[in-house]
Amino acid sequence: VEGYGNGKYGPEDAITREQMAAILYRYAKFKGMDVSVRGETSYTDKDAISDYAADSVIGAATKAVMSGNADGSFAPADNATRAEAAAVFMRIQEILK
């Protein structure tokens, strides 16, 4: 986990969906998983995904670790719910076995 890049870490901050994707991407890379990505997502709000998280979101979608919403959006700036976090951790654990 790298923090915000401006000397701030924010340990008490809520985590956004794109931040969670970035953390998972870095963890998967650390564990030796192939995290290379190609193309882009078809999310309706793909232009709202921050540059730093774009590959992470694509990778999370490609590996079926995270998914979008029923309306076709990813909602990158929305806070992740506890249920989403639990589901994502279960999926990444299965993939990394």
Side-chain angles (χ1 to χ4, degrees), residues 50-92:
S50 298
D51 289 342
Y52 81 88
D55 285 348
S56 303
V57 171
I58 294 168
T62 301
K63 301 288 187 189
V65 175
M66 293 181 75
S67 58
N69 299 313
D71 66 358
S73 69
F74 183 74
D78 285 3
N79 290 335
T81 66
R82 293 169 63 95
E84 288 171 328
V88 165
F89 292 137
M90 290 297 295
R91 289 182 200 128
I92 196 77

Side-chain angles (χ1 to χ4, degrees), residues 10-55:
E12 301 298 323
D13 293 355
I15 189 169
T16 66
R17 290 174 46 81
E18 70 180 5
Q19 289 170 338
M20 186 164 56
I23 290 169
L24 291 170
Y25 178 88
R26 293 176 189 134
Y27 179 70
K29 186 175 181 179
F30 169 78
K31 294 297 281 182
M33 186 175 177
D34 178 11
V35 295
S36 58
V37 295
R38 292 168 203 73
E40 60 182 43
T41 70
S42 60
Y43 294 125
T44 57
D45 58 351
K46 63 185 174 194
D47 293 337
I49 298 169
S50 298
D51 289 342
Y52 81 88
D55 285 348

